Amino acid sequence: MATRVARAFSRRFFLDTRSLAAFRIGLGLILVADAVLRCRDFRLMFTPEGMFPHDALHAFSPSAANWSLAFLLDATWWDGLILGLEGVAGIMLAAGFQTRLAVIIAWVALVSVVRRTAPATNAGDLWLTTLLLWGGFLPLGSRWSLDAARRHQPCSESHFSVASVALTLQILVVYLAAGLSKCNATWLSGTAVRDALSVHDHGTPLGAWLVQLPAVAKLAGAAVLSLELAGPVLFLLLPWPRLRGAIALSFLTFHGLVGLLMSVGLFAAIGIAAWLALVPGVVWDQLSGLMPTRRSTAAFARARNAP
């Protein structure tokens, strides 16, 4: 019985190494984009003459745990160096070059940047830091990376560890908590999506157009609430890879729609990257089955050129 329980537990927290590779690439690209986008308001956000001088930040969050490399020097060039470090770490991570070191550098740089601009921090920034934290304990560079190309050694197709459990639970609890917080009159009445997609809130022009269809907006609200409440629980309980894959694809689609309908910065991209880590191996197997191999491509070319 103990063996069966342990096997059932581990089966729900195995992560495919291809999913971890996609997760790594997604995080790297997000870090690069984040560093570039922050350059637009660099003088306002990072310089001593800007909105957030060090004294104000320490007063905003006086805890001794509020560390940041940016607090070591109060100089514009130093803040620029840290922001550049985030971008370089993102490139290293996306390419899978010195992956473990790249994750550590990326986490330290991102936490430093987030703490340097703490009053303007959003939930996506904090979620990204936690994803990088758990990623530092996972074999993110075992597939589709420069590190893997240099090793020339076969790697396991799946990974199970305390970190895989932590990352999975970290991702699922975000949605379950969000779903529980939505159990209020606004969401239950069906008006929440209409309000959120308003151009006066977070809506894009496409989102504002959707607001003009009340029935669709109300149905979308019910779908979001159901997905956030039921999706994490079913993903954790169901042992069947295909159904878990369908749930992961539902969340990927959800975040894709969020990116199209709402102006929420990089939050949608961070959600997509997070769920890429949880995609079961069966999905990658199906995708690889749709792609012709070199042998089949060569055979097709010979058949096409035959008289």
Side-chain angles (χ1 to χ4, degrees):
M1 179 64 69
T3 303
R4 289 183 178 180
V5 172
R7 187 179 303 166
F9 177 84
S10 60
R11 186 186 306 169
R12 285 158 176 77
F13 294 103
F14 268 105
L15 298 179
D16 192 278
T17 50
R18 291 166 293 185
S19 298
L20 290 177
F23 172 66
R24 184 201 78 239
I25 295 170
L27 291 183
L29 295 177
I30 289 170
L31 288 169
V32 174
D34 184 64
V36 172
L37 291 174
R38 288 181 187 273
C39 288
R40 299 177 303 176
D41 301 314
F42 180 81
R43 189 168 296 278
L44 183 65
M45 295 285 188
F46 290 91
T47 62
E49 300 80 18
M51 295 173 58
F52 307 129
H54 284 194
D55 291 341
L57 290 173
H58 294 316
F60 177 80
S61 182
S63 171
N66 184 34
W67 63 270
S68 171
L69 292 180
F71 296 156
L72 297 178
L73 287 175
D74 192 9
T76 301
W77 69 268
W78 178 247
D79 289 331
L81 183 63
I82 295 172
L83 191 60
L85 189 64
E86 179 191 354
V88 171
I91 295 173
M92 293 173 60
L93 199 57
F97 175 70
Q98 298 292 332
T99 306
R100 188 78 65 181
L101 177 62
V103 175
I104 296 173
I105 295 174
W107 181 75
V108 172
L110 180 63
V111 171
S112 298
V113 168
V114 168
R115 295 275 173 79
R116 180 64 181 85
T117 58
T121 295
N122 59 39
D125 297 326
L126 300 177
W127 194 17
L128 184 57
T129 61
T130 60
L131 294 176
L132 284 170
L133 175 64
W134 298 125
F137 300 96
L138 292 166
L140 301 186
S142 61
R143 293 283 193 98
W144 306 342
S145 67
L146 294 179
D147 291 342
R150 289 186 302 169
R151 281 196 299 267
H152 299 292
Q153 294 178 352
C155 66
S156 60
E157 293 187 354
S158 59
H159 174 79
F160 172 76
S161 66
V162 173
S164 71
V165 176
L167 179 65
T168 301
L169 293 178
Q170 175 72 69
I171 295 171
L172 297 181
V173 76
V174 168
Y175 297 91
L176 186 58
L180 291 174
S181 69
K182 289 182 174 66
C183 294
N184 54 52
T186 303
W187 275 91
L188 295 177
S189 66
T191 62
V193 170
R194 182 197 64 192
D195 297 339
L197 296 183
S198 168
V199 291
H200 302 293
D201 195 350
H202 297 294
T204 63
L206 182 60
W209 172 82
L210 187 63
V211 169
Q212 301 174 14
L213 306 173
V216 176
K218 190 171 184 178
L219 181 62
V224 169
L225 188 58
S226 300
L227 182 63
E228 290 185 339
L229 287 174
V233 176
L234 293 177
F235 188 88
L236 193 59
L237 296 179
L238 293 177
W240 303 291
R242 293 184 184 278
L243 289 178
R244 287 162 63 90
I247 294 172
L249 292 176
S250 297
F251 276 102
L252 289 170
T253 302
F254 165 67
H255 278 291
L257 291 173
V258 168
L260 289 174
L261 300 176
M262 301 183 70
S263 299
V264 287
L266 294 173
F267 181 81
I270 295 170
I272 290 174
W275 274 98
L276 284 175
L278 303 188
V279 172
V282 65
V283 176
W284 300 111
D285 293 338
Q286 291 176 342
L287 290 175
S288 62
L290 296 175
M291 298 179 184
T293 62
R294 292 182 180 180
R295 183 177 299 177
S296 61
T297 303
F300 175 78
R302 288 195 299 268
R304 185 182 60 183
N305 295 329

